[in-house]
């Protein structure tokens, strides 16, 4: 049996090796992917580009604009002379915020009357807009003190307020976005390759009619499937090692947990995810269908896995669906081991979930396969 | 012209004959977007935290109760000790912990700075930052009311309550609903289905050898290319209409622009993404390779195109790279039309880029086809 399987595995590898284009792409694309994720999430600044429409042109209005510019939430990039111009800049996206200072701003402030400045915000980026709005709410009394000259330079919230929250951030002390995104991108890279390669190779043999030819050889269907899965597994694993090396050595993602544990669990996860590829390949009639189903599932799984919005914030039904996606658990495992230094006992819930999903997936795939062969 | 129509008719028949493909390209697209929108429709709130009250005074309890009533936080756990609260962050049970030290009450009454420790799980920096902002907001609220009870006297002026107020007005998306930005943005990704189908169709002809037969007919190269692409362009436009209808009817996303503009600019986007698939199918030999590479190319930009991280927050090189992807421009287009009600004139630079990219890619394909024959 081992001999037969060995021959099939050899055949698969020779075929894959011969097809250089695919080989190059599977090894090159993860690199491009990680590079892109790392750079685009290396958030330099959350400063909203802001245009100032100063109708007052007094010393106080100027220092208000300067103070906002000096905060790390706004960058006064533009000054405009009319409301229409401000609206145009907001519309075409050049600025994300517009400060309107009314003509009586300075005089009201010196009369100790309530002076109001208006801030227009492009809420088509809701996250940034609401953060800036809550900042303004808190900062208003502080700004008022500084504008009226009562405040000293080093004034902090504590002095004005009395409760001083001191934040301590754990696991990712500098709150670097890329440290969070990269392990996730790595996990979804593994998922995509495992599903695509499995789904495609089996259906391809069926479409070209070589599957029947293989079935008349002494090799058993199950052995054939396992050999095919082995190729997907090996290629995925090589790509994973490549991504891991890049993350740790090049992008500086910490590996706080055990490398051996990560390697072992990745192999286990790839094995589970291959079950999905097997189901797709059993159901699909043509390579096209198989590949599109693989694409559909990869995209859905990636979003369900909590890489865009955390799972606990999803609606109830989506949370349940997320639990059924192996990638959700694997993302938690990779992040846990790399960022938090989780050990095996910490990961038992994820492992159990993966094991349960694996058993189900392979049972379904085997059932479907037997039916097709009859 | 007659030849062109003949190729188109043939391509349409291919599509119609494979009902899976047609259903996949239309309903599949809509289904995928509905699922994705549903999964990420929730705004980030109800973040699980634990609190520890080391002071056990009425004032410290009142302070922590503010966290309990606030919508952003969900107090999962009143920890008996600070160590216990920290442990709940470590285990991942809570995303953060608010720890009030003994002596809170005294310090608050005395008017000094009262340090409160906020421990934050930094694994997901976006959420970490929001926890920090919201904790500061609540603390400032409490501090202000403490301050008011202490300082009785003039309710206004630099020594009392603020004499400066910001009126913030969120434009385009006044409810600050995350889904209103995400859904139009997602269109750029679910619309890749027609492009993927065109890859499959072209490479299948190559695999089966019918491409060579087509080449020997009087059909010219460019007619072949256009005839193959147009049916998928039309399916894509049908998808745009379906997606818009679903977004507006089921997800209450505002649509302030004109449908004509959306169709016009969507055609530019589809020409560009069909250009990618045409070029890929002329370069690659097998359906598997073409689709793996194609779907990777179409999924990549998801984290790099301003869908999740706003463009202005990216470093310069990442922003420039983001502008290469067609998806980045199309996201600007859909958000502009849906939320800002922009007309095509306002978005002409995005449309022009997409069209130019489409022409270059399709031109390159044509050149490849010609060369292959020579």
């Amino acid at each position: 049996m081992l001999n037969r399987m060995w021959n099939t595995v050899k055949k698969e590898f020779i075929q894959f090796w011969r097809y250089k284009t695919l080989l190059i792409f599977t090894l090159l694309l993860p690199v491009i992917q990680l590079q892109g994720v790392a750079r685009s999430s290396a958030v330099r600044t959350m400063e909203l580009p802001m245009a100032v429409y100063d109708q007052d042109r007094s010393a106080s209005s100027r220092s208000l604009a300067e103070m906002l510019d000096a905060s790390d939430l706004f960058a006064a990039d533009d000054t405009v002379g009319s409301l229409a111009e401000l609206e145009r800049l907001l519309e075409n996206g050049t600025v994300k915020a517009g400060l309107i200072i009314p003509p009586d701003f300075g005089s009201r402030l010196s009369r100790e009357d309530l002076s109001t400045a208006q801030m227009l915000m492009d809420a088509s980026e809701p996250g940034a807009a609401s953060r800036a709005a809550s900042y303004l709410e808190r900062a208003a009394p502080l700004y008022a003190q500084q504008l009226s000259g009562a405040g000293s330079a080093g004034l902090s919230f504590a002095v004005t307020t009395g409760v001083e929250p001191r934040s301590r951030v754990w696991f990712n002390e500098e709150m670097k976005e890329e440290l969070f995104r990269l392990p996730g991108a790595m996990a979804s890279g593994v998922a995509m390759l495992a599903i695509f390669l499995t789904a495609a190779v089996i259906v391809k043999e069926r479409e070209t009619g070589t599957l029947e030819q293989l079935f008349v050889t002494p090799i058993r269907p199950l052995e054939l499937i396992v050999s095919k899965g082995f190729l997907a597994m090996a290629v995925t694993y090589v790509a994973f090692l490549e991504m891991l090396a890049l993350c740790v050595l090049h992008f500086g993602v910490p590996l706080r947990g055990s490398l051996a544990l990560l390697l072992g669990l990745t192999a286990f996860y790839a094995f589970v995810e291959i079950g999905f590829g097997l189901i797709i390949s059993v159901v699909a009639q043509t390579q096209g269908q198989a590949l599109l189903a693989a694409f559909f599932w990869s995209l859905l799984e990636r979003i369900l896995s909590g890489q865009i919005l955390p799972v606990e914030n999803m609606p109830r039904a989506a949370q349940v669906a997320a639990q059924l996606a192996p990638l959700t658990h694997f993302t938690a495992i990779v992040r846990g081991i790399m960022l938090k230094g989780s050990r095996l006992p910490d990961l038992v819930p994820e492992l159990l979930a993966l094991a349960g999903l694996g058993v189900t997936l392979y049972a379904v795939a085997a059932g479907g396969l037997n039916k097709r062969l009859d | 012209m007659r030849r062109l129509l003949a190729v188109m008719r043939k391509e349409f028949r291919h599509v119609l004959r494979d009902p899976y493909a047609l259903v996949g390209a239309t309903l599949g697209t809509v289904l995928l977007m509905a699922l994705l929108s549903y999964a990420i429709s929730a705004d980030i709130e109800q973040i699980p935290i634990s609190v520890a009250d080391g002071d056990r005074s009425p004032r410290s309890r009142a302070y922590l109760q503010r966290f309990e009533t606030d919508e952003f936080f969900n107090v999962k756990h009143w920890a008996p000790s600070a160590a216990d609260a920290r442990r709940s962050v470590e285990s991942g049970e809570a995303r953060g912990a608010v720890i009030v030290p003994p002596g809170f009450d005294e310090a608050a009454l005395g008017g000094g700075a009262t340090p409160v420790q906020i421990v934050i799980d930094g694994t997901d920096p976006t959420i970490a930052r929001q926890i920090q902002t919201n904790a500061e907001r609540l603390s400032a609220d409490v501090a202000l009311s403490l301050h008011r009870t202490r300082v009785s006297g003039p309710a206004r002026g630099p020594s009392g309550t603020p004499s400066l107020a910001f009126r913030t007005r969120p434009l385009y998306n006044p409810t600050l609903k995350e889904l209103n930005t995400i859904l139009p943005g997602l269109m750029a990704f679910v619309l890749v289905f027609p492009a993927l189908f065109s890859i499959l169709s072209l490479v299948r002809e190559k695999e089966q050898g019918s491409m060579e037969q087509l080449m020997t007919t009087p059909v010219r190269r460019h007619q072949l290319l256009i005839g193959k692409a147009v049916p998928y362009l039309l399916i894509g436009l049908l998808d745009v209409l379906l997606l818009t209808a679903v977004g507006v009817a089921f997800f209450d996303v505002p649509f302030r622009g004109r449908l004509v503009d959306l169709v016009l600019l969507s055609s530019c986007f589809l020409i560009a993404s069909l250009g990618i698939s045409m070029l890929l199918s002329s370069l690659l030999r097998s359906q598997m390779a073409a689709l793996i590479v194609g779907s990777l190319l179409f999924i990549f930009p998801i984290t790099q195109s301003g869908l999740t991280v706003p463009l202005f927050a990216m470093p310069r090189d990442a922003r420039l790279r983001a502008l290469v992807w067609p998806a980045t421009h199309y996201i600007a287009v859909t958000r502009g039309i849906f939320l800002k009600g922009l007309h095509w004139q306002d978005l002409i630079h995005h449309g022009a880029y997409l069209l130019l990219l489409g022409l270059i890619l399709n031109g390159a394909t044509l050149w490849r086809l010609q060369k292959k024959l020579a």
Side-chain angles (χ1 to χ4, degrees):
Chain A
M1 179 185 124
L2 275 179
N3 193 26
R4 286 194 302 254
M5 275 169 67
W6 175 238
N7 282 327
T8 336
V9 169
K10 229 163 44 189
K11 158 189 167 293
E12 288 300 324
F13 273 92
I14 291 172
Q15 262 182 349
F16 188 78
W17 184 250
R18 241 185 238 153
Y19 194 14
K20 288 284 188 301
T21 335
L22 183 58
L23 182 74
I24 292 169
F25 270 110
T26 38
L27 294 182
L28 199 65
L29 285 177
V31 182
I32 304 174
Q33 154 88 324
L34 290 184
Q35 173 74 22
V37 169
R39 289 308 295 156
S40 61
S41 52
V43 180
R44 262 273 174 77
T45 158
M46 278 314 237
E47 287 189 345
L48 287 167
M50 173 180 76
V52 182
Y53 175 30
D54 187 353
Q55 294 169 298
D56 189 31
R57 292 171 192 280
S58 66
S60 342
S61 72
R62 262 193 302 280
S63 52
L64 177 70
E66 274 162 23
M67 273 154 56
L68 283 169
D69 188 32
S71 77
D72 27 326
L73 281 151
F74 298 96
D77 286 351
D78 267 301
T79 37
V80 294
S82 73
L83 194 61
E85 204 181 334
L86 182 61
E87 271 168 357
R88 203 176 48 80
L89 288 179
L90 278 164
E91 256 180 15
N92 64 25
T94 317
V95 297
K96 299 282 171 193
L99 176 68
I100 305 174
I101 306 177
D104 57 350
F105 182 80
S107 58
R108 273 173 165 267
L109 205 66
S110 50
R111 289 204 309 269
E112 297 196 356
D113 214 349
L114 182 72
S115 42
T116 314
Q118 206 184 92
M119 185 68 91
L120 302 181
M121 259 175 318
D122 181 349
S124 65
E125 314 269 14
S130 57
R131 201 172 41 246
S134 102
Y135 169 77
L136 288 178
E137 212 177 297
R138 278 180 295 124
L142 183 66
Y143 281 15
Q145 277 184 336
Q146 287 197 333
L147 282 175
S148 59
S152 57
L155 201 66
S156 79
F157 278 114
V159 182
T160 45
T161 60
V163 179
E164 187 185 24
R166 284 189 194 148
S167 302
R168 275 241 311 271
V169 180
W170 286 359
F171 309 126
N172 180 2
E173 292 76 8
E174 293 161 60
M175 293 208 253
K176 278 195 178 161
E177 189 79 24
E178 66 265 36
L179 299 192
F180 171 69
R181 299 273 169 218
L182 281 171
M186 215 163 74
S188 46
V190 172
M192 271 186 80
L193 283 175
I195 298 179
F196 267 97
L197 290 171
T198 321
V201 286
I202 296 176
V203 187
K204 186 175 181 202
E205 299 258 12
R206 185 184 298 141
E207 212 178 32
T208 48
T210 43
L211 194 64
E212 275 85 7
Q213 286 174 18
L214 281 173
F215 279 157
V216 295
T217 64
I219 190 157
R220 305 250 170 74
L222 192 66
E223 293 166 18
L224 181 72
I225 301 284
V226 172
S227 320
K228 295 251 177 208
F230 190 77
L231 172 87
M233 181 90 173
V235 176
T236 308
Y237 212 75
V238 170
F240 169 74
L241 291 178
E242 184 195 347
M243 291 190 281
L244 183 63
L246 256 176
C247 278
V248 175
L249 302 177
H250 183 60
F251 295 117
V253 181
L255 178 58
R256 300 207 170 104
S258 128
L259 176 64
L261 182 65
L262 182 60
L263 292 179
L265 291 184
T266 305
F268 179 55
Y269 164 73
F271 178 72
V272 172
E273 195 70 87
I274 281 171
F276 250 113
L278 287 178
I279 294 184
I280 291 176
S281 64
V282 168
V283 176
Q285 304 286 333
T286 65
Q287 244 194 101
Q289 287 170 13
L291 290 167
L292 287 169
F295 177 78
F296 192 94
W297 176 249
S298 313
L299 196 58
L300 188 62
E301 193 180 27
R302 180 151 183 200
I303 290 196
L304 279 179
S305 70
Q307 303 203 0
I308 292 194
L309 188 85
V311 175
E312 62 251 41
N313 285 110
M314 295 180 182
R316 178 83 33 214
Q319 280 188 26
V320 175
Q323 295 307 317
L324 297 177
L327 183 58
T328 312
H329 306 288
F330 185 54
T331 308
I333 290 176
V334 176
R335 278 186 190 148
I337 295 180
M338 295 189 80
L339 301 179
K340 294 192 189 180
S342 306
R343 279 164 312 155
L344 192 57
D346 305 320
L347 300 171
V348 167
E350 280 82 13
L351 263 177
L352 286 180
L354 275 183
L357 286 170
V359 170
T360 323
L361 290 175
Y362 277 88
V364 172
L369 187 71
N370 284 335
K371 218 176 187 176
R372 278 196 78 110
L373 291 176
D374 288 341
Chain B
M1 197 63 205
R2 240 191 34 234
R3 290 183 205 139
L4 185 65
L5 281 177
V7 179
M8 270 191 227
R9 211 162 41 225
K10 165 182 169 308
E11 200 56 36
F12 261 123
R13 273 208 196 126
H14 274 301
V15 176
L16 289 175
R17 205 178 288 159
D18 186 358
Y20 288 107
L22 191 64
V23 170
T26 52
L27 291 185
T29 316
V30 174
L31 182 69
L32 188 62
M33 196 189 65
L35 287 173
L36 296 183
S37 306
Y38 172 69
I40 50 183
S41 58
D43 289 293
I44 296 181
E45 54 180 21
Q46 295 290 316
I47 301 292
I49 56 164
S50 51
V51 297
D53 187 353
D55 194 38
R56 291 171 202 279
S57 64
R59 204 160 270 130
S60 67
R61 199 165 322 119
Y63 171 66
L64 290 176
Q65 247 144 20
R66 283 299 315 259
F67 285 85
E68 198 152 57
T69 48
D70 195 73
E71 262 182 19
F72 181 79
F73 292 107
N74 171 16
V75 177
K76 270 250 160 96
H77 187 49
W78 283 79
S81 71
D84 206 56
R86 287 200 189 93
R87 225 175 349 262
S88 70
V89 179
E90 231 162 286
S91 70
E93 193 193 335
R95 290 264 182 167
V98 182
I99 299 164
V100 178
F104 177 87
D105 193 46
E106 252 170 70
L109 270 182
T114 322
V116 171
Q117 202 183 67
I118 319 259
V119 176
I120 303 171
D121 176 352
T123 343
D124 186 339
T126 316
I127 295 185
R129 235 173 264 128
Q130 292 197 27
I131 293 177
Q132 198 176 5
T133 318
N134 280 286
E136 279 170 8
R137 169 177 62 87
L138 290 182
S139 306
D141 277 2
V142 170
L144 203 64
S145 57
L146 274 176
H147 189 71
R148 286 216 186 99
T149 54
R150 245 187 354 249
V151 184
S152 42
R156 205 192 268 162
S159 55
T161 47
S163 59
L164 169 68
F166 286 105
R167 260 195 304 138
T168 47
R169 227 178 69 206
L171 303 172
Y172 316 125
N173 180 15
T175 48
L176 291 173
K177 246 172 71 184
E178 196 72 52
L179 180 68
N180 289 347
T181 16
I182 291 276
L183 189 136
L186 274 176
M187 283 175 68
F189 296 98
V190 295
L191 268 183
V192 305
F193 270 93
L196 291 179
F197 275 104
S198 71
I199 294 189
L200 288 176
S201 154
L202 271 148
V203 181
R204 195 168 48 219
E205 297 233 24
K206 256 166 76 174
E207 268 183 351
Q208 294 172 344
S210 53
M211 193 57 124
E212 270 148 36
Q213 288 171 16
L214 270 177
M215 296 271 197
T216 57
T217 62
V219 175
R220 309 278 272 290
R221 310 283 157 261
H222 68 273
Q223 291 170 333
L224 186 64
L225 187 76
I226 297 173
K228 285 261 170 200
V230 165
Y232 297 100
L233 181 71
L234 293 180
I235 293 179
L237 289 178
L238 176 67
D239 281 342
V240 170
L241 297 179
L242 285 172
L243 292 173
T244 309
V246 169
V248 173
F250 291 102
F251 292 99
D252 283 329
V253 175
F255 187 83
R256 305 207 172 91
R258 296 181 308 196
L259 210 51
V260 195
D261 296 328
L262 184 64
V263 169
L264 186 74
L265 291 163
S266 299
S267 316
C268 297
F269 173 67
L270 287 165
I271 289 173
S273 61
L274 282 171
I276 295 180
S277 37
M278 292 291 153
L279 189 61
L280 273 184
S281 27
S282 77
L283 288 173
L284 296 169
R285 272 183 296 140
S286 80
Q287 288 182 64
M288 173 165 76
L291 207 78
I292 289 184
V293 176
S295 41
L296 289 177
L297 278 181
F298 288 126
I299 294 186
F300 273 173
I302 224 172
T303 46
Q304 310 163 25
S305 57
L307 181 71
T308 46
V309 181
L311 281 183
F312 70 83
M314 293 181 188
R316 202 182 148 70
D317 61 318
R319 198 165 17 183
L320 288 179
R321 192 156 1 161
L323 287 175
V324 175
W325 298 109
T328 311
H329 295 270
Y330 191 58
I331 289 176
V333 165
T334 48
R335 285 187 180 161
I337 294 179
F338 271 77
L339 299 177
K340 298 187 179 176
L342 298 184
H343 291 180
W344 66 271
Q345 297 93 325
D346 309 311
L347 297 160
I348 189 92
H349 49 295
H350 295 298
Y353 172 80
L354 290 172
L355 204 56
L356 186 70
L357 185 70
L359 288 181
I360 292 174
L361 291 170
N362 283 307
T365 314
L366 213 56
W367 181 71
R368 284 259 331 161
L369 285 177
Q370 232 120 33
K371 215 181 74 172
K372 225 185 290 176
L373 222 73

